[in-house]
Amino acid sequence: MNRSMTVLAAALGLVLAAGTAAVPAAAATTAQGYTPAAGIAAKSSEDANNKAFYEAVMKSARAKQAANPYLLAVTVTYDASQAPTFRTVISQSAQIWNSSVANVQLRSGTNADFRYYEGNDSRGSYASTDGHGGGYIFLDYAQNRQYSSLRVVAHETGHVLGLPDHYSGPCSELMSGGGPGTSCTNPNPNTTERSRVNSLWLYGLAVAG
Ligand SMILES: [Zn+2]
Protein backbone atom coordinates (compact mmCIF):
# COMPACT_ATOMS: atom_id res chain seq x y z
CA MET A 1 0.00 0.00 0.00
CA ASN A 2 1.43 3.34 -0.92
CA ARG A 3 0.97 6.59 0.95
CA SER A 4 -1.78 7.95 -1.25
CA MET A 5 -3.77 4.79 -0.73
CA THR A 6 -3.17 5.06 2.99
CA VAL A 7 -4.42 8.64 3.03
CA LEU A 8 -7.41 7.72 0.86
CA ALA A 9 -8.26 4.79 3.08
CA ALA A 10 -8.02 6.99 6.14
CA ALA A 11 -10.27 9.58 4.51
CA LEU A 12 -12.84 6.92 3.82
CA GLY A 13 -12.68 5.80 7.41
CA LEU A 14 -11.44 2.35 6.52
CA VAL A 15 -9.65 0.29 9.08
CA LEU A 16 -6.18 -0.51 7.87
CA ALA A 17 -4.62 -3.88 8.47
CA ALA A 18 -1.40 -3.62 10.40
CA GLY A 19 1.84 -4.81 8.89
CA THR A 20 1.66 -3.71 5.25
CA ALA A 21 3.78 -0.57 5.34
CA ALA A 22 1.57 0.79 8.09
CA VAL A 23 2.90 4.30 7.75
CA PRO A 24 0.97 6.68 10.02
CA ALA A 25 -1.63 8.36 7.83
CA ALA A 26 -1.60 11.45 10.05
CA ALA A 27 1.97 12.26 9.09
CA ALA A 28 0.90 13.84 5.83
CA THR A 29 3.76 16.31 5.64
CA THR A 30 6.84 15.09 3.86
CA ALA A 31 10.29 15.96 5.03
CA GLN A 32 13.50 15.12 3.22
CA GLY A 33 14.14 12.35 0.77
CA TYR A 34 17.22 10.62 -0.51
CA THR A 35 17.03 12.05 -4.01
CA PRO A 36 15.62 15.35 -5.36
CA ALA A 37 12.75 13.38 -6.87
CA ALA A 38 9.54 14.76 -8.32
CA GLY A 39 6.69 14.76 -5.85
CA ILE A 40 8.78 15.77 -2.88
CA ALA A 41 7.93 19.12 -1.39
CA ALA A 42 9.94 22.23 -2.21
CA LYS A 43 13.34 22.53 -0.59
CA SER A 44 12.33 25.21 1.91
CA SER A 45 9.36 23.13 2.97
CA GLU A 46 11.60 20.09 3.29
CA ASP A 47 13.97 22.01 5.50
CA ALA A 48 11.13 23.24 7.69
CA ASN A 49 9.72 19.75 8.07
CA ASN A 50 13.11 18.30 8.75
CA LYS A 51 13.71 20.90 11.44
CA ALA A 52 10.34 20.09 12.99
CA PHE A 53 11.19 16.41 12.97
CA TYR A 54 14.56 16.99 14.57
CA GLU A 55 13.04 19.27 17.20
CA ALA A 56 10.30 16.76 17.98
CA VAL A 57 12.81 13.95 18.38
CA MET A 58 15.07 16.10 20.51
CA LYS A 59 12.16 17.15 22.72
CA SER A 60 11.27 13.52 23.33
CA ALA A 61 14.88 12.56 23.98
CA ARG A 62 15.40 15.48 26.34
CA ALA A 63 12.38 14.48 28.39
CA LYS A 64 14.11 11.15 28.99
CA GLN A 65 17.36 12.97 29.68
CA ALA A 66 15.65 15.01 32.38
CA ALA A 67 14.71 11.79 34.14
CA ASN A 68 18.37 10.80 34.24
CA PRO A 69 20.52 13.95 34.28
CA TYR A 70 23.75 12.05 34.72
CA LEU A 71 23.73 10.76 31.16
CA LEU A 72 26.55 12.26 29.14
CA ALA A 73 24.83 11.88 25.79
CA VAL A 74 21.21 12.21 24.72
CA THR A 75 19.81 8.82 23.78
CA VAL A 76 17.37 8.66 20.88
CA THR A 77 15.42 5.42 20.80
CA TYR A 78 14.22 3.92 17.54
CA ASP A 79 11.84 1.10 16.65
CA ALA A 80 12.77 -0.93 13.56
CA SER A 81 10.08 -3.57 13.96
CA GLN A 82 8.05 -2.20 11.05
CA ALA A 83 11.03 -2.40 8.69
CA PRO A 84 12.12 -6.03 9.12
CA THR A 85 13.81 -6.19 5.71
CA PHE A 86 16.24 -3.51 6.85
CA ARG A 87 16.84 -4.70 10.41
CA THR A 88 20.56 -5.34 9.88
CA VAL A 89 21.16 -2.19 7.84
CA ILE A 90 19.35 -0.05 10.43
CA SER A 91 21.54 -1.53 13.14
CA GLN A 92 24.67 -0.85 11.08
CA SER A 93 23.52 2.72 10.48
CA ALA A 94 23.07 3.23 14.21
CA GLN A 95 26.57 1.88 14.84
CA ILE A 96 28.01 4.28 12.27
CA TRP A 97 26.31 7.27 13.88
CA ASN A 98 27.16 6.15 17.40
CA SER A 99 30.84 5.89 16.53
CA SER A 100 30.75 9.18 14.60
CA VAL A 101 29.21 11.50 17.18
CA ALA A 102 29.47 11.79 20.95
CA ASN A 103 26.58 13.98 22.06
CA VAL A 104 23.71 11.81 20.83
CA GLN A 105 23.44 8.04 20.68
CA LEU A 106 20.92 5.81 18.94
CA ARG A 107 19.42 2.81 20.67
CA SER A 108 16.86 0.24 19.57
CA GLY A 109 14.02 -0.16 22.01
CA THR A 110 10.45 0.37 23.04
CA ASN A 111 8.90 3.77 23.82
CA ALA A 112 10.67 4.90 20.66
CA ASP A 113 11.29 8.50 19.64
CA PHE A 114 10.93 7.54 15.96
CA ARG A 115 10.20 4.51 13.82
CA TYR A 116 11.36 2.97 10.55
CA TYR A 117 8.86 1.72 8.00
CA GLU A 118 9.36 -0.08 4.71
CA GLY A 119 7.33 -0.33 1.52
CA ASN A 120 6.94 1.00 -2.02
CA ASP A 121 6.74 4.72 -2.71
CA SER A 122 7.49 6.40 -6.03
CA ARG A 123 9.10 9.27 -4.13
CA GLY A 124 11.69 6.94 -2.67
CA SER A 125 12.86 7.00 0.94
CA TYR A 126 12.25 9.96 3.21
CA ALA A 127 11.96 11.23 6.76
CA SER A 128 8.63 12.71 7.82
CA THR A 129 6.92 14.22 10.84
CA ASP A 130 3.47 15.30 11.94
CA GLY A 131 5.04 18.20 13.80
CA HIS A 132 3.62 17.04 17.13
CA GLY A 133 6.29 14.80 18.53
CA GLY A 134 5.97 11.94 16.11
CA GLY A 135 8.14 11.06 13.18
CA TYR A 136 9.25 8.22 11.02
CA ILE A 137 11.66 7.16 8.33
CA PHE A 138 10.18 5.44 5.30
CA LEU A 139 12.47 3.08 3.35
CA ASP A 140 11.49 2.40 -0.24
CA TYR A 141 12.30 -1.08 -1.55
CA ALA A 142 13.24 -0.05 -5.10
CA GLN A 143 15.46 2.82 -4.04
CA ASN A 144 17.27 0.65 -1.51
CA ARG A 145 18.07 -1.81 -4.31
CA GLN A 146 19.14 0.91 -6.74
CA TYR A 147 21.35 2.76 -4.26
CA SER A 148 23.50 1.52 -1.38
CA SER A 149 20.94 0.63 1.25
CA LEU A 150 23.27 1.39 4.15
CA ARG A 151 23.96 4.85 2.73
CA VAL A 152 20.23 5.47 2.27
CA VAL A 153 19.41 4.44 5.84
CA ALA A 154 22.33 6.37 7.37
CA HIS A 155 21.33 9.42 5.29
CA GLU A 156 17.69 9.34 6.42
CA THR A 157 18.82 8.81 10.01
CA GLY A 158 20.99 11.91 9.56
CA HIS A 159 17.76 13.88 9.09
CA VAL A 160 16.54 12.64 12.47
CA LEU A 161 19.74 13.97 13.99
CA GLY A 162 19.16 17.39 12.43
CA LEU A 163 21.03 17.41 9.13
CA PRO A 164 19.43 18.84 5.96
CA ASP A 165 19.85 17.56 2.41
CA HIS A 166 22.74 18.81 0.31
CA TYR A 167 22.30 16.94 -2.97
CA SER A 168 25.05 18.88 -4.75
CA GLY A 169 27.71 17.60 -2.36
CA PRO A 170 30.30 14.89 -3.09
CA CYS A 171 30.02 11.18 -2.25
CA SER A 172 32.15 11.75 0.85
CA GLU A 173 29.25 13.78 2.22
CA LEU A 174 26.44 11.59 3.58
CA MET A 175 23.71 14.19 3.17
CA SER A 176 24.38 14.52 -0.56
CA GLY A 177 22.19 11.42 -0.70
CA GLY A 178 21.48 10.25 -4.23
CA GLY A 179 23.13 13.33 -5.72
CA PRO A 180 26.47 11.64 -6.53
CA GLY A 181 24.65 8.73 -8.21
CA THR A 182 24.06 5.05 -7.60
CA SER A 183 27.77 4.20 -7.57
CA CYS A 184 28.27 6.16 -4.34
CA THR A 185 28.19 3.76 -1.39
CA ASN A 186 29.77 5.87 1.36
CA PRO A 187 27.64 5.42 4.52
CA ASN A 188 29.71 7.69 6.78
CA PRO A 189 29.10 11.34 7.68
CA ASN A 190 32.11 13.55 6.96
CA THR A 191 33.89 15.69 9.55
CA THR A 192 31.65 18.70 8.95
CA GLU A 193 28.50 16.63 9.31
CA ARG A 194 29.75 15.01 12.52
CA SER A 195 30.62 18.38 13.99
CA ARG A 196 27.25 19.79 13.07
CA VAL A 197 25.36 16.95 14.78
CA ASN A 198 27.54 17.21 17.87
CA SER A 199 26.89 20.94 18.03
CA LEU A 200 23.15 20.54 17.57
CA TRP A 201 22.88 18.02 20.38
CA LEU A 202 25.27 19.83 22.66
CA TYR A 203 22.95 22.80 22.37
CA GLY A 204 20.05 20.50 23.22
CA LEU A 205 21.84 19.38 26.35
CA ALA A 206 22.63 22.95 27.32
CA VAL A 207 18.96 23.87 27.02
CA ALA A 208 17.92 20.77 28.95
CA GLY A 209 20.40 21.56 31.72
ZN1 LIG B 1 17.60 13.44 2.54
Side-chain angles (χ1 to χ4, degrees):
M1 178 175 289
N2 62 33
R3 272 173 50 78
S4 0
M5 289 172 66
T6 305
V7 171
L8 176 61
L12 294 173
L14 302 176
V15 176
L16 298 172
T20 312
V23 175
T29 56
T30 298
Q32 308 214 344
Y34 185 73
T35 53
I40 287 194
K43 182 72 170 67
S44 58
S45 175
E46 292 178 29
D47 285 344
N49 280 314
N50 184 53
K51 184 169 183 292
F53 187 6
Y54 155 71
E55 288 174 349
V57 169
M58 178 172 281
K59 182 180 179 183
S60 173
R62 273 164 46 188
K64 295 177 185 176
Q65 179 84 12
N68 188 350
Y70 299 104
L71 291 173
L72 293 176
V74 179
T75 299
V76 172
T77 305
Y78 65 86
D79 181 346
S81 63
Q82 299 302 309
T85 304
F86 302 97
R87 187 185 308 273
T88 301
V89 177
I90 289 170
S91 176
Q92 291 172 337
S93 165
Q95 288 170 24
I96 285 172
W97 275 111
N98 288 344
S99 61
S100 297
V101 297
N103 293 341
V104 59
Q105 294 285 287
L106 296 164
R107 292 283 181 272
S108 173
T110 55
N111 190 23
D113 298 302
F114 73 100
R115 290 179 167 75
Y116 293 90
Y117 291 88
E118 64 181 46
N120 297 297
D121 193 314
S122 59
R123 295 170 302 172
S125 307
Y126 54 84
S128 185
T129 179
D130 61 7
H132 300 284
Y136 64 87
I137 287 173
F138 179 85
L139 300 172
D140 174 62
Y141 293 131
Q143 188 177 55
N144 276 275
R145 284 191 296 269
Q146 186 181 10
Y147 293 86
S148 161
S149 186
L150 180 54
R151 178 170 161 89
V152 171
V153 173
H155 171 97
E156 296 304 337
T157 305
H159 287 314
V160 177
L161 300 178
L163 295 179
D165 278 320
H166 185 226
Y167 295 127
S168 61
C171 180
S172 57
E173 188 177 327
L174 182 59
M175 301 317 287
S176 61
T182 55
S183 64
C184 174
T185 61
N186 167 45
N188 300 302
N190 66 16
T191 304
T192 303
E193 292 170 322
R194 295 175 187 210
S195 296
R196 185 164 180 182
V197 169
N198 272 327
S199 297
L200 287 168
W201 289 86
L202 178 62
Y203 178 70
L205 279 174
V207 170

